[in-house]
Amino acid sequence: GQNIDQPTEMTATEGAIVQINCTYQTSGFNGLFWYQQHAGEAPTFLSYNVLDGLEEKGRFSSFLSRSKGYSYLLLKELQMKDSASYLCAVMDSNYQLIWGAGTKLIIKP
Amino acid sequence: GAVVSQHPSWVICKSGTSVKIECRSLDFQATTMFWYRQFPKQSLMLMATSNEGSKATYEQGVEKDKFLINHASLTLSTLTVTSAHPEDSSFYICSARDPREGDYNEQFFGPGTRLTVL
C-alpha cells in the first residue's frame, strides 16, 4: 500500500531551526510537496521537489532523496507565525496526491 | 499563483437537509478539481476527482449518492452533501490544478468550507 510517515508533533524555539522529516512508499513518484496549514484554514503551498537535492526558498528549504524515499522541510529563523501543521504529500504514478497526516509544529518564545 | 474560491465559508444545517458547496477557479480554467474532507487533527482525505463535462471519480468508501459532484464548467465544481447527518460535519476543501503550470502539478486550494450538521 501507499504510505507517508511524518512526526505527529514537534516543538521548537523562536529564532531556532527545525527539520521536519517525511518518508514515503508510493506506487510511482511524480514529485513531493510540502504544504503549510494553519488551524481552520486550507493548506498553502511551500515547496515542490521532483529531483534529488535541496531546494531553498527564503527561510524554508526542502530536501529530497528518491532512492531513500525521504524528504525533509527545514525552517530557519523560526517565527511565532510558523506555528502550524506541515503536510508532506507525494504525487503517485496516477498523478494523485497521497497525503501524510501532518506534523504540528509548536513554536515557543 | 492561481486563485481558487469556495462558497460558503461555513454553514450550519439541520440533520436531513442538503448543502451545496461551490468551488471556483478565478483566474484559470480547471479541467480537474479535487474535493477533500478533513476531520479535526487529521490529514486531508481525497473524496473525489471532478472532471469537467464528465462524471466524478470517487475514492473507495465515499458514497456517490450522498456526495454529489457536478463540474459543469471549466471554472466551477459543486459538491452537494445530501441528507446531511452530524457525522458529515467536517472541513471540506477543494483544489484545482492550473494547466498553465505544465508539469509542476501544484494544486491550488480553496479556503475551505466548515460544515456543521446539528
Side-chain angles (χ1 to χ4, degrees), chain B residues 23-75:
Chain B
C23 177
R24 293 180 185 273
S25 55
L26 299 186
D27 55 353
F28 67 101
Q29 294 183 327
T31 54
T32 304
M33 290 184 173
F34 304 88
W35 286 98
Y36 292 88
R37 181 167 52 183
Q38 186 176 34
F39 293 106
K41 298 183 180 181
Q42 295 185 24
S43 191
L44 299 172
M45 185 186 78
L46 179 65
M47 299 176 67
T49 302
S50 170
N51 300 297
E52 187 269 335
S54 64
K55 291 182 178 180
T57 303
Y58 290 81
E59 295 301 302
Q60 192 172 8
V62 178
E63 299 175 58
K64 301 178 183 181
D65 296 330
K66 181 168 183 62
F67 299 99
L68 302 178
I69 292 173
N70 184 284
H71 195 154
S73 78
L74 287 171
T75 59

Side-chain angles (χ1 to χ4, degrees), chain A residues 66-85:
Chain A
R66 288 173 296 171
S67 62
K68 295 182 179 178
Y70 168 70
S71 172
Y72 67 72
L73 179 69
L74 190 71
L75 293 77
K76 302 177 184 176
E77 300 170 16
L78 286 170
Q79 301 175 8
M80 297 303 293
K81 66 178 182 179
D82 297 330
S83 292
S85 286

Side-chain angles (χ1 to χ4, degrees), chain A residues 30 33 35 37 39-45 47-48 57 87 91 94-97 99-102 104, chain B residues 34 36 38 41-46 49 59 91 93 97 103-112 114:
Chain A
N30 279 301
F33 296 81
Y35 283 85
Q37 186 178 25
E41 299 180 11
T44 55
F45 171 81
S47 68
Y48 172 70
K57 191 185 293 185
L87 306 176
M91 187 160 282
N94 295 319
Y95 292 92
Q96 269 205 13
L97 275 179
W99 293 87
K104 183 179 180 181
Chain B
F34 304 88
Y36 292 88
Q38 186 176 34
K41 298 183 180 181
Q42 295 185 24
S43 191
L44 299 172
M45 185 186 78
L46 179 65
T49 302
E59 295 301 302
F91 192 45
I93 311 172
R97 284 202 209 107
D103 293 332
Y104 201 65
N105 293 321
E106 179 185 349
Q107 288 188 20
F108 296 93
F109 286 87
R114 175 78 57 194

Side-chain angles (χ1 to χ4, degrees), chain A residues 2-109:
Chain A
Q2 310 207 86
N3 195 47
I4 310 283
D5 284 318
Q6 51 182 132
T8 304
E9 188 175 295
M10 298 182 71
T11 302
T13 305
E14 188 177 16
I17 299 173
V18 71
Q19 177 175 311
I20 303 174
N21 296 324
C22 172
T23 57
Y24 63 89
Q25 290 177 310
T26 57
S27 54
F29 180 84
N30 279 301
L32 185 145
F33 296 81
W34 283 97
Y35 283 85
Q36 180 190 60
Q37 186 178 25
H38 286 99
E41 299 180 11
T44 55
F45 171 81
L46 289 179
S47 68
Y48 172 70
N49 294 68
V50 68
L51 299 176
D52 290 350
L54 187 68
E55 295 277 345
E56 296 185 79
K57 191 185 293 185
R59 294 189 298 115
F60 292 4
S61 302
S62 57
F63 172 83
L64 174 68
S65 169
R66 288 173 296 171
S67 62
K68 295 182 179 178
Y70 168 70
S71 172
Y72 67 72
L73 179 69
L74 190 71
L75 293 77
K76 302 177 184 176
E77 300 170 16
L78 286 170
Q79 301 175 8
M80 297 303 293
K81 66 178 182 179
D82 297 330
S83 292
S85 286
Y86 291 85
L87 306 176
C88 173
V90 173
M91 187 160 282
D92 68 10
S93 56
N94 295 319
Y95 292 92
Q96 269 205 13
L97 275 179
I98 311 300
W99 293 87
T103 298
K104 183 179 180 181
L105 178 62
I106 300 169
I107 310 295
K108 295 185 175 180

